Amino acid sequence: MADKDLRMQAVDLFQVAVKAADPAGAVARALKADPIAPFGGKLIVLALGKAACAMIEEALRHLPTPTRALAITNAENARDIDGVDLLIGEHPVPSTGSAAAGAALLDAVSGLGPEDRVLALISGGGSALAIAPVAGISLTEKQQANGILLGSGLDINQMNLVRQCLSRTKGGGLLAAAAPAQVRALILSDVIGDDLRVVASGPTVGRVGSAAEARDVLHKAGVWDDIPEAVRHHLEQDTAPPAAREAQNQIVGSNRVSLDAVAAACTDAQIVEDELTGDVADAAARVLQAMEASDGPQTLIFGGETTVRIKGDGLGGRNQELALRVALGAQHLDGDWVFLSGGTDGRDGPTDAAGGLVDRGTIKRMQAAGLDPQAILDNNDSYHGLQAAGDLLTVGGTGTNVADVQLFLRRS
């Protein structure tokens, strides 16, 4: 195994990235720089996503007492906050709790007037945590469609294009429901490139595209026939995206901010790529190329969000699979090195790990445990492979989410 200090350095740098995405600090900076001016109507404060509790708790320190405050998050990041209604949804596949949360969102903004204000605090995970399917699509059908999307290999932009077409809150739906009240949103972006239509599926922004474009994406991914019939029927209506209302949408944290923080914490650091996206195998090849080109002590930094096309029935996530692919391809690399790939929310896929932390001995340790690394990858079972090698990255829920960070540390 690589030197323990080197592995600890990698984890410490990952925590630097997480800290830079601290949702409370991001909200505080935004509301101090641009406070909400006094007005005569109602104030509705809504927080949606994995960072919802941290964001709304901090926001309330800078606001007058709201008419209503509602936070929607997942169980791991949920906590009671005085004066805040708390609802818990499921991620990454929505649940009945997610449906209740979606209904509560719409109820919270119904009947508002032009003198009223809505402050929305948006973070990653919101797409699944609160859902309000369009008429004709049941919760079960929405769950089935979401599960198919997650295993399709589509990127987050493509998945959210489809999700928006099936929802009354996504793609500007919440903004429309709040009319004619003024809406301001503080957004912690978990999307590479920071397209605000994609973060939590853009409830205060607008749609990525049309139903026709969503159909095209599903056909190209080869999953159109797997989608429930009611969903296909709705998408075949080919309705144009509704015209988006104006809202004050502001990014308060992002993946690039976290990468810059890591770079600032190292004297030998280089941000190699801040859009490590696409198929996980292709991303692993790009990482390996950069690793092989490195010379001497160095810290290479990557950020992004890859996709995995699920073909097996194993357990894992995109970061764990990326780490295992890199370990398999870098066995020949000389010197003491480690590679970390982790989700800044502390969760990778449907597992308790944030990702993987591998070194030149990872594959040998797996083989010593009686496992075939290539067979593990073929079955999308990276969790159990890395677990056998002692190479899971486990940090617990972080309360934030700005996509993924990858680090390569080489010291000799």
Side-chain angles (χ1 to χ4, degrees):
M1 183 174 286
D3 182 85
K4 285 186 178 180
D5 287 343
L6 190 58
R7 293 174 71 90
M8 290 177 63
Q9 287 176 38
V11 175
D12 287 346
L13 288 174
F14 178 72
Q15 294 291 7
V16 168
V18 171
K19 185 177 180 181
D22 173 58
V27 168
R29 288 189 295 271
L31 290 178
K32 287 177 181 177
D34 185 11
I36 292 181
F39 63 98
K42 299 175 183 176
L43 173 61
I44 309 297
V45 183
L46 307 173
L48 171 64
K50 293 182 180 180
C53 288
M55 294 181 81
I56 199 168
E57 186 173 43
E58 183 62 31
L60 294 180
R61 296 189 176 102
H62 304 270
L63 299 171
T65 301
T67 307
R68 185 175 182 188
L70 171 66
I72 297 169
T73 191
N74 58 330
E76 185 172 36
N77 291 307
R79 65 176 184 273
D80 290 330
I81 301 169
D82 287 345
V84 177
D85 297 328
L86 176 66
L87 291 175
I88 297 174
E90 291 293 324
H91 184 276
V93 178
S95 66
T96 52
S98 303
L105 269 183
L106 293 172
D107 178 69
V109 299
S110 66
L112 297 180
E115 71 282 2
D116 300 323
R117 303 289 183 273
V118 176
L119 176 65
L121 309 166
I122 308 296
S123 57
S127 289
L129 293 172
I131 64 167
V134 295
I137 296 178
S138 68
L139 172 61
T140 298
E141 289 162 336
K142 187 71 179 286
Q143 289 171 322
Q144 290 171 344
N146 202 60
I148 291 166
L149 290 174
L150 290 169
S152 65
L154 295 173
D155 64 29
I156 188 66
N157 297 50
Q158 294 168 318
M159 285 194 286
N160 283 357
L161 163 61
V162 177
R163 289 166 171 162
Q164 289 172 346
C165 293
L166 309 178
S167 173
R168 291 179 289 134
T169 57
K170 297 173 174 58
L174 181 64
L175 179 61
Q182 294 185 30
V183 177
R184 178 181 178 186
L186 304 182
I187 301 171
L188 191 67
S189 172
D190 65 335
V191 174
I192 305 308
D194 298 330
D195 185 341
L196 298 187
R197 299 172 301 171
V198 180
V199 182
S201 292
T204 64
V205 190
R207 283 199 195 177
V208 175
S210 67
E213 290 170 298
R215 292 200 309 271
D216 186 55
V217 161
L218 294 171
H219 278 295
K220 287 181 178 177
V223 297
W224 173 257
D225 291 336
D226 300 326
I227 296 290
E229 182 179 356
V231 174
R232 295 199 307 270
H233 175 73
H234 178 77
L235 293 175
E236 285 168 344
Q237 304 307 304
D238 195 18
T239 56
R245 288 180 62 222
E246 290 247 347
Q248 184 183 352
N249 291 300
Q250 177 185 357
I251 292 177
V252 296
S254 69
N255 186 263
R256 180 66 199 211
V257 169
S258 288
L259 301 188
D260 288 338
V262 175
C266 303
T267 57
D268 61 350
Q270 175 188 355
I271 298 176
V272 178
E273 188 170 353
D274 61 2
E275 293 192 12
L276 191 67
T277 58
D279 182 77
V280 68
D282 296 335
R286 303 206 300 273
V287 169
L288 286 165
Q289 184 178 28
M291 288 168 59
E292 290 170 357
S294 67
D295 183 23
Q298 201 168 19
T299 300
L300 304 183
I301 304 168
F302 308 79
E305 186 169 295
T306 61
T307 58
V308 177
R309 187 170 181 86
I310 297 174
K311 298 179 180 178
D313 59 3
L315 181 66
R318 60 182 180 264
N319 286 288
Q320 293 161 68
E321 184 154 328
L322 178 59
L324 182 51
R325 287 182 180 276
V326 168
L328 192 60
Q331 297 175 77
H332 65 285
L333 202 62
D334 293 332
D336 196 19
W337 61 267
V338 297
F339 174 75
L340 178 153
S341 183
T344 54
D345 61 352
R347 287 291 176 264
D348 185 36
T351 76
D352 60 357
L357 175 59
V358 299
D359 56 48
R360 64 182 303 186
T362 294
I363 299 305
K364 289 182 179 178
R365 292 193 294 274
M366 286 182 59
Q367 292 169 334
L371 299 178
D372 177 354
Q374 188 58 56
I376 289 288
L377 283 172
D378 292 342
N379 193 38
N380 299 114
D381 200 25
S382 53
Y383 179 91
H384 292 116
L386 293 174
Q387 184 181 54
D391 287 348
L392 287 173
L393 174 66
T394 306
V395 299
T398 65
T400 190
N401 186 13
V402 290
D404 305 332
V405 171
Q406 291 81 27
L407 304 168
F408 171 67
L409 280 66
R410 190 177 194 174
R411 295 296 177 258
S412 60

